[in-house]
Amino acid sequence: MPPDSAVTASTTTSAAVPAETPVPGAAPLAALGVEQAEAALVEHYTRLVRLAYLVLPPSLGRNRRVLTAHALVQRSLPRGRTAARSAIPAQSRAAGTDGGTGAGTNGGTDGGTATGAGRNPGYAYVRERVLRQALDAGRPLRRLARPRLAQLPPPLPRVWGLRLFPRSGGADELALDRRLSGLSGPARAAFALRGLELLTDKEVRRLLHAAGAVDTETALAEAADAAERRIGTADPVELLRSPEFDPCSLQARPTDLMRRRQYGRAALAAAAALLVCGTLLGLPGGWGPDDDADAPYGHNAAVAAALDPARVRRIAPAAWQTSARTDFSVWPARGPLAEDHALLRRALTAWAAPGASVHISATPATPSGPPMGSPQLLYAGTVDAARVVLFHDGLRVVRYAEPATGGEEVAALDFARIDGAGAAVAGALVVGRSDGDVRYLTAPWVRSASVRDLLDPAEPARPLRRDADGVTDPLASPAMAQDCRSWDTLSVRDGSDGDDSSDSSDSSDSENGATERLLTDLGELTPARLTSGPPSAPGDVTSPADRAAWARTACLLPAMRSHGVRSVNSWPYARQPLPESNGTATWLCTRADTWRGTGSRVLAQFQAPARTAAPGAVAARAEDTPACGARESRVLAGVLWKSRGGTWYVLAAGSGRLGSVQVSGGVRGSAPGSLLAVRAREGVQAELYGETPDGTRVDALR
């Protein structure tokens, strides 16, 4: 976009309200009563919970961080009738609101006046206790030391049957969350104290020392660096006040319903077993001498078969060449550890009955229950610093990973849904991640692999080496990057025709009969396929025009990560000549479809003429909608745009055959066809809709 033009979204903001006023010469506090500390905790509860949530380690997961943050604040009262002395001033200059701006936050000014938290010794004491516990929770457990209370899962509050997490923010909030996850606990604390409490570096240093932090200078340096680097056009400090980091304004989702049902049945079975055991113990003679009481899985033949490494299904290396199907079901068993029965048994046992030391993750709506019979082995080998096993059971792919140098008691299980896969989306699986890089296991029909940077459409693909089993060398993972300076995708070429009943594709580019496809890592086991073109016939990203459009779209992909995405299609649905001879803009609709079928995400983009591959402006976004899809290809979106001459316009474009486009509200106008340009004022709010030739109303994407 030219430097003197601008595009804005129709949003409303409100300035932060000062919560405290300067406190001159704060002196050491005398012993305070538990009533005073309790009053401070209740009055400033939301800001204390937000502080604890930001300092807690992100590795806990959002659900546990929310509950732990509330627990730390609730158990921060003094145990006796009085609290110990504290030399930490509660606040020495103005602080922002607890709730931030916009709708959906929970807090407002949080009672912050000159007589509130700023001069409240109770608040200073409780804040120090919260900070100490949050830092303790991030310290590693020592094998011979007794764990601290903050390092244990909180007994209260406890939520059954639901997962709680703050409201989702935008791409800026997600980028800030990734940035904070890379900081140490004291650095996150310094960042929050400077941004939310507005303390000086000297006050932050004293408070961190009081909370048990050691290297406060390094923490302050990391916090200052994180605060100075802007995220797009947003100030990281201002983003702290968004609902993304407010653990008092929550969304609720169910836990794994299939596992809950299994637990319920297991509880009934256990109760019945206890009843039977009690009856047998009461009989003369008790247990018989030949009872196999030590069998861990009883006499269930199906369960025993599923856990037997010798019975895992192994596909022949050449089976895919003659099979009617070209998907994960015909992948052969590969890897140097494919015959390591001890490793396979540990993986199968962890899958069937994961212990407390097994970390489990799954894509949305993917069951994480035990295998349904003997699974298919895809790969077993050492990848970087881990021993990895990949299984397939028809519905899911499952990755088991354990440290390569001992430590089998710690393991990870990842589940991803892949039902209905075809050659177009079964070209690779993520086999390992480390140090910001990702490795793929490619399909047996892949002839060659290379790396293509989406942000540099003119750069040729870089060769990517694979070993004999199809495991690639590491390449930079955009899902783990802290910025968007490059977006490396996996480019694979194969000889399959790409026919997939679930993926309508038209592969137009080939080299020696080999189809090129682009796959990108979005933080899950299955990379997402990238396509371009109309929803009725999306094709692979092969033409210069397609690559140029994706160069300005790639940095919007983080909005689709960790969502169970199967494929992402970017469709340039309209081109619009801009007023005042400012060139021609392109309108695109980017749709991410999921493996589960529901939960699709759609972004409407406005790409004004630009000398560089600047990201397009998001004109509208929606979730779980048929728009821009095979079932409903119509889409309508608009933006408020400023010309090089300084005049503001409402621009709109629709796909398909629209009879007219109309705008009402703060500005009124209409135009025949699918394009509209109406003069407007800066910051105007308007409603957009269109009509088909037969009079059917078409609402704007939202």
Side-chain angles (χ1 to χ4, degrees), residues 54-131:
L54 289 169
V55 178
L56 284 169
S59 59
L60 294 178
R62 292 199 296 171
N63 178 70
R64 185 173 168 188
R65 280 172 70 193
V66 166
L67 297 179
T68 304
H70 283 271
L72 296 186
V73 175
Q74 292 175 16
R75 64 190 184 202
S76 294
L77 291 177
R79 297 185 180 181
R81 298 302 301 172
T82 60
R85 294 176 178 267
S86 173
I88 306 301
Q91 192 93 336
S92 62
R93 56 195 180 95
T97 64
D98 182 74
T101 62
T105 58
N106 184 17
T109 60
D110 191 20
T113 65
T115 59
R119 296 179 176 175
N120 191 341
Y123 178 74
Y125 174 81
V126 174
R127 182 177 61 187
E128 178 187 332
R129 293 262 299 178
V130 169
L131 190 61

Side-chain angles (χ1 to χ4, degrees), residues 60 64 140 171 192 247 249 302 339 392 490 539 582 633 688:
L60 294 178
R64 185 173 168 188
S249 180
E339 300 299 330
H392 171 242
L490 175 67
N582 277 210
S633 60
L688 185 69

Side-chain angles (χ1 to χ4, degrees), residues 54 85 97 99 123 241 256 270 284 293 323 374-375 400 409 430 456 459 461 477 535 600 603 647 676 679 702:
L54 289 169
R85 294 176 178 267
T97 64
Y123 178 74
R241 301 184 176 93
D256 192 329
S323 172
S374 299
Y400 169 84
E409 69 277 1
V430 172
D456 193 351
E459 180 187 8
S477 169
S600 59
L603 300 176
T647 305
L676 176 140
R679 286 179 180 267
R702 59 169 59 90

Side-chain angles (χ1 to χ4, degrees), residues 358-376:
V358 178
H359 179 268
I360 298 176
S361 68
T363 57
T366 301
S368 57
M372 300 172 289
S374 299
Q376 172 190 351

